[in-house]
Amino acid sequence: MHRKRRAGWLAPTGLIALSAVPVLAGAVRMNEIVSGAPITPANARFLTFPAPVTVHIVAVTLYTVLGAFQFVPGLRARRPRRHRAAGRLLVVAGLLAALSGLWMTLFSEVPPADEGLLAWFRLVFGSGMLAALVLGFRAIRRRDVRRHRAWMTRAYAIGLGAGTQALTQGLWLAFAGPPDDVTRALLLGASWVINLAVAEWIIRRRRGSRRLPSPVSP
């Protein structure tokens, strides 16, 4: 029994660890905003108009950290009301995270390295996250639990992209040195693809099983 409970916590523990780097980076950015740090070319777009990035940081932090606990089967079974309440909150957080990310991609003055291919990746995967959240919410309203879990798993995978991006960029930096702009864009795009590939593997591996982990559930 205790061994099964410990195994049930492996997934959320790993997900929280994966989100640690972007969450800490967001905390550093929030400290710059709150403390009135000097404006530089690197942070000007955040400090001159902090509302979108503030919404994005708070929403992503809530979505990735609290959302990880939705993958614990025992918590869902023992506290279904809390699971549903957390799910409703997390759907809102996910929508805010995706919308604020899209807004910054479209309307913020980004550095040249963030234009072109990387901007397209952000638009595609941000829109994909929005679509997955909406489809997952519609599925649970129809009481289609299987499709709900599948779409919410995909949405969470996209939302956790920044964690995998820290890994892909870190590995490239360690073995190949600083990437150029195109390579950096491909590394970031590959991180979303990796997360979605893992999500699809989980969905297909556990399809039809009652033990399928239920992520963000409204």
Side-chain angles (χ1 to χ4, degrees), residues 76 146 149 203 205-213:
R76 184 181 72 250
R146 182 178 63 83
R149 292 174 180 173
I203 292 165
R205 181 173 178 266
R206 301 185 179 182
R207 179 168 289 172
S209 171
R210 292 183 179 181
R211 297 183 63 184
L212 178 68

Side-chain angles (χ1 to χ4, degrees), residues 60-94:
V60 167
T61 300
L62 177 62
Y63 187 73
T64 55
V65 175
L66 183 58
F69 292 95
Q70 299 290 79
F71 286 86
V72 183
L75 291 181
R76 184 181 72 250
R78 293 194 301 270
R79 298 180 176 88
R81 290 185 180 180
R82 290 186 183 182
H83 175 77
R84 289 192 293 269
R88 295 186 185 98
L89 176 62
L90 288 167
V91 167
V92 174

Side-chain angles (χ1 to χ4, degrees), residues 4 9 24 29 42 68 78 82 88-89 96 98 103-104 150 185 187 201:
K4 289 182 179 180
W9 283 92
L24 290 174
R29 184 69 69 193
R78 293 194 301 270
R82 290 186 183 182
R88 295 186 185 98
L89 176 62
L96 289 174
W103 195 99
M104 289 188 290
L187 289 170
W201 175 77

Side-chain angles (χ1 to χ4, degrees), residues 14 20 28 30 32 47 72 85 110 112 115 124-126 135 137 140 174 213 217:
V28 171
M30 284 296 297
E32 287 183 338
L47 299 189
V72 183
V110 298
E115 296 176 346
V124 168
F125 288 105
L135 290 169
F137 181 78
I140 201 60
S217 173

Side-chain angles (χ1 to χ4, degrees), residues 24 36 44 48 80 95 98 104-105 111 146 165 173 197 211 215:
L24 290 174
T48 55
L95 291 172
M104 289 188 290
T105 301
R146 182 178 63 83
Q165 288 165 1
L173 185 64
R211 297 183 63 184

